[in-house]
Amino acid sequence: MVTFLAGGTGTPKLLDGVDAAFDPEELTVVANTGDDVELGGLLVCPDLDTVLFRGGGVLDRERWWGLDGDTTATHDELDRLANVAGLDAGPRYLSPERQTAGRRLARWRRFSGVAEFMEIGDRDRAVHVTRTSLLDEGHSLTEVTRTLSQAFDLDVDLLPMSDDPVATIVHTDAGAMHFQEFWVAHRGAPAVEDVEFRGADTATPTDAVRDALSDPVVIGPSNPVTSIGPIRALSGVDAALDDTPVVAVSPFVEDEVFSGPAAALMRGTGRDPSTAGVADAYPFADAFVLDSDDGTDLDRPVVRTDTRIDTPEDSRRVIRAVANALREVA
Ligand code: GDP
């Protein structure tokens, strides 16, 4: 059994090639939920959903979120209505008192659905309605994720990191904002001053996550701050990673990031935005997979390969490197 820690791009890309070295039935994927938001009353879990849709063969692979070929009739109508009604497009947070009222799992990331600042496709919305309704019926996020995994015919065991609320809040020169406001509404433009995982001091990993962390762990090429950071902020996770073999794939080639806001977030949280900074951030990692063009000198075993992942064959190549690195340290 092997456990992957996932955000919404790097690790899902890596999972495409997983059967080159692992039996998918023996894999657990623990997904970050710090990026989740409640939008117009629906709980949206972007990282869980990317793994879900990828596993179900229905992911939009251009964007790495949403369903391939989905329509946006409802989203477009929300936008049109807000426009004709003269309503500001937001992001529109619910009032501070409402942030901690209502559905517990949605704390500190509750947005009104007016104008819907994140684009939710029509079929995608059906997933959020089902998830939120099952939560309201009394099921945990872990249970609901299992149900959705069956519906999408996933072969891996997909787990949310926690059944408790954790909200990734980015503190910037333009004020504190939820990660989705920072990334979707502002395209990562505000200068990052700090990143907070609100709720993490009382949130716990689920029993299923604790069990999964006793297996060897692969940290895919995910954003160390906002994808892996929230998982690590839960009590006991770093200690569990210390006690088990861990292989990490760098999301950088030296100081070049493949995509997304990882560099600005690392810089903003006092880390070097580079492979060396990732290695410093992951003291529990026993080995790394780095790009062939990445000459970073690390104090731990390194397996090098071309780590750019555009095709399933690329994923298989990187997965084989991960398996080789695991064999060295397991
Ligand atoms: P997010 O939830 O969308 O931020 O996704 P993740 O945290 O899972 O992944 C984002 C990270 O994936 C970024 O830091 C990228 O540098 C990295 N990444 C994206 N594409 C590739 C790739 O092809 N190869 C590698 N090694 N990293 C990648």
Side-chain angles (χ1 to χ4, degrees):
M1 300 295 287
V2 176
T3 296
F4 284 66
L5 306 187
T9 313
T11 303
K13 276 181 157 188
L14 183 64
L15 288 172
D16 270 352
V18 88
D19 54 6
F22 301 99
D23 177 356
E25 306 274 342
E26 305 218 321
L27 295 188
T28 307
V29 180
V30 176
N32 165 44
T33 59
D35 292 2
D36 298 2
V37 290
E38 189 189 78
L39 188 56
L42 298 179
L43 190 73
V44 179
C45 305
D47 291 355
L48 278 171
D49 285 348
T50 295
V51 178
L52 197 63
F53 299 164
R54 189 212 71 79
V58 292
L59 179 70
D60 178 335
R61 287 166 172 281
E62 294 293 311
R63 305 192 292 187
W64 284 87
W65 54 268
L67 290 154
D68 189 33
D70 207 355
T71 52
T72 56
T74 304
H75 175 78
D76 295 346
E77 184 62 8
L78 285 165
D79 195 44
R80 192 193 68 81
L81 266 179
N83 218 334
V84 294
L87 294 163
D88 184 79
R92 299 167 67 105
Y93 289 87
L94 297 194
S95 67
E97 311 79 67
R98 297 292 306 280
Q99 291 298 331
T100 48
R103 209 173 276 129
R104 192 175 155 273
L105 202 50
R107 283 180 163 211
W108 313 294
R109 31 19 196 313
R110 305 189 70 202
F111 292 88
S112 140
V114 168
E116 199 169 71
F117 81 102
M118 291 169 76
E119 182 186 298
I120 305 293
D122 295 319
R123 282 159 51 225
D124 193 356
R125 192 179 306 277
V127 174
H128 309 315
V129 171
T130 303
R131 168 189 296 124
T132 311
S133 300
L134 287 170
L135 288 167
D136 287 350
E137 287 178 21
H139 300 280
S140 68
L141 186 61
T142 299
E143 291 165 351
V144 175
T145 303
R146 287 227 156 94
T147 302
L148 290 171
S149 296
Q150 278 164 12
F152 282 88
D153 209 13
L154 242 65
D155 40 17
V156 302
D157 190 15
L158 175 61
L159 301 172
M161 66 184 200
S162 179
D163 285 330
D164 299 320
V166 177
T168 300
I169 308 291
V170 186
H171 293 260
T172 76
D173 60 350
M177 57 188 79
H178 187 271
F179 175 77
Q180 298 296 354
E181 178 185 2
F182 170 75
W183 184 235
V184 178
H186 300 298
R187 304 275 161 218
V192 178
E193 293 170 351
D194 198 7
V195 176
E196 172 195 354
F197 306 117
R198 200 165 291 173
D201 47 354
T202 52
T204 56
T206 60
D207 290 344
V209 167
R210 276 189 236 273
D211 281 351
L213 293 178
S214 63
D215 294 323
V217 170
V218 176
I219 303 185
S222 281
N223 182 327
V225 182
T226 51
S227 291
I228 304 305
I231 304 176
R232 291 183 57 194
L234 302 170
S235 61
V237 169
D238 267 11
L241 293 173
D242 263 335
D243 288 346
T244 199
V246 177
V247 167
V249 183
S250 180
F252 289 86
V253 181
E254 294 181 0
D255 58 0
E256 293 290 322
V257 76
F258 281 92
S259 64
L265 289 161
M266 287 190 70
R267 211 177 289 113
T269 52
R271 300 197 177 280
D272 194 36
S274 65
T275 289
V278 175
D280 282 346
Y282 294 166
F284 45 73
D286 301 291
F288 284 86
V289 172
L290 303 187
D291 193 83
S292 309
D293 289 337
D294 191 331
T296 310
D297 192 17
L298 296 181
D299 53 355
R300 284 158 276 179
V302 168
V303 174
R304 285 189 169 80
T305 188
D306 174 2
T307 60
R308 173 171 292 283
I309 305 173
D310 292 326
T311 66
E313 185 42 43
D314 293 336
S315 310
R316 286 194 283 273
R317 180 184 61 246
V318 181
I319 276 288
R320 282 191 286 264
V322 165
N324 288 341
L326 259 187
R327 264 193 292 276
E328 279 198 42
V329 296

